[in-house]
Amino acid sequence: MKFVKFHGLGNDFVIVDALEESGLPENREELPGLARDVCHRRFGVGADGLILIKKSDKADIYMQIINSDGSEPEMCGNGIRCVAKYVYDAGIVPRRQIRVETLAGIILPEIITDDHKAAMVKVDMGQPGLERSDIPMLGPAGRVVGEPLEHRGEIFRVTAVSMGNPHCVIFVDDVQAVPLYQLGPELEVHPAFPRKANIEFVQVLNQGEVIMRVWERGAGYTMACGTGACAAGVASCLNGYTGRKVMVHLQAGPLEIEWSVNNHVYMTGPARKVFTGDYPLE
């Protein structure tokens, strides 16, 4: 199986062009095992997720992503930037504006070029889901903004946002002091979230900047999360900490998030090719 390794601010993916590659499992039930093997950082290529580029009847391509634990999320912000750069550079979709079908609907990344090369990718991530049922999260109807959530006797003030996948944003004074490896996996499966949740801890620096650390549903700790950065930007604005445009600082660099007046969230950031390879399927 020929693949290319990409990362978006350290959130890394094994991308396979399933339009050309033969020999991939035809049975969808076999893909979780393949993803777990490929993404293993000791016995495989090593990645946060496996991405398959497939044919779409509704868009230019279909992006299927399987997390490193074998689960299939609805969307991945860093992943879609990597896919957009790959298909543009490879000439699969030669236009700067690309339509990508995902489980969260059709997402619209745009290539920002530098000397005719893809330099950055700006993605129209669509409208955030803010109603409790959009997340989904148990409880009465309405938005979840700074709502108390009890866990092991401690109260967390949470803001819930769906970016096609569920996010729980918690504002803290110091993100580095958060025991992420303890709280992340526990809050991910909190009973309030019937489909689990991505957990973001966010520290506000000023009206235009925040720092974020994330525990991703199905992938665990990752250096960056695109949909999580979008959720953090929306949540920061909802709580009055920032304006509608915010720089979200992650471990390997920032993502620019804008919650536009048209209610769409725009994410701009880099995507980098690391290497190509051939993974044995037998």
Side-chain angles (χ1 to χ4, degrees):
M1 178 181 76
K2 296 186 184 304
F3 70 88
V4 58
K5 177 79 175 286
F6 264 80
H7 80 87
L9 294 176
N11 193 193
D12 56 345
F13 308 94
V14 170
I15 299 177
V16 176
D17 182 358
L19 298 169
E20 296 291 337
E21 190 65 26
S22 60
L24 290 170
E26 296 183 7
N27 190 334
R28 196 181 186 99
E29 282 68 33
E30 296 180 48
L31 289 175
L34 176 62
R36 287 190 291 269
D37 290 344
V38 169
C39 293
H40 199 289
R41 296 193 183 276
R42 293 294 182 268
F43 302 110
V45 179
D48 293 321
L50 170 66
I51 296 178
L52 304 180
I53 298 173
K54 297 183 173 181
K55 180 180 178 181
S56 171
D57 296 328
K58 302 176 182 178
D60 295 316
I61 55 170
Y62 179 84
M63 181 183 84
Q64 181 181 12
I65 179 167
I66 304 100
N67 286 323
S68 57
D69 73 346
S71 62
E72 188 171 352
E74 298 86 351
M75 236 297 283
C76 176
N78 287 318
I80 201 168
R81 291 202 319 278
C82 293
V83 165
K85 179 172 171 57
Y86 171 73
V87 298
Y88 179 82
D89 287 347
I92 297 171
V93 182
R95 299 181 306 279
R96 290 195 301 112
Q97 294 181 323
I98 303 167
R99 291 170 55 84
V100 182
E101 182 184 355
T102 73
L103 289 180
I106 294 177
I107 308 297
L108 306 172
E110 179 181 357
I111 302 296
I112 301 173
T113 58
D114 182 9
D115 292 331
H116 305 291
K117 293 182 180 180
M120 299 281 278
V121 183
K122 180 177 182 179
V123 186
D124 180 349
M125 299 287 285
Q127 302 183 43
L130 300 177
E131 294 298 315
R132 192 184 297 268
S133 59
D134 294 333
I135 312 305
M137 181 177 177
L138 301 182
R143 294 183 174 186
V144 181
V145 180
E147 180 176 299
L149 180 72
E150 192 275 336
H151 174 66
R152 293 186 181 273
E154 186 174 358
I155 300 298
F156 295 89
R157 292 282 175 177
V158 305
T159 299
V161 179
S162 173
M163 292 304 307
N165 54 355
H167 293 272
C168 171
V169 181
I170 302 170
F171 291 95
V172 296
D173 294 331
D174 182 0
V175 291
Q176 300 305 324
V178 172
L180 185 64
Y181 285 88
Q182 174 194 336
L183 290 176
E186 293 177 352
L187 292 173
E188 174 192 354
V189 298
H190 193 285
F193 303 105
R195 287 167 53 190
K196 303 183 183 180
N198 298 278
I199 309 300
E200 287 85 26
F201 290 95
V202 177
Q203 175 185 343
V204 179
L205 298 179
N206 53 54
Q207 276 283 311
E209 296 177 281
V210 302
I211 305 173
M212 184 185 90
R213 294 180 71 200
V214 59
W215 182 271
E216 285 199 53
R217 179 189 63 165
Y221 165 76
T222 59
M223 293 180 68
C225 175
T227 55
C230 293
V234 171
S236 297
C237 184
L238 285 173
N239 283 275
Y241 295 131
T242 69
R244 299 183 75 93
K245 191 171 184 178
V246 61
M247 194 70 74
V248 179
H249 294 280
L250 302 155
Q251 185 173 343
L255 286 173
E256 183 181 296
I257 306 299
E258 181 181 4
W259 186 14
S260 177
V261 292
N262 67 2
N263 200 34
H264 283 231
V265 179
Y266 296 90
M267 171 190 63
T268 303
R272 297 287 183 266
K273 179 180 177 180
V274 184
F275 60 84
T276 60
D278 198 339
Y279 182 85
L281 290 177
E282 296 181 355

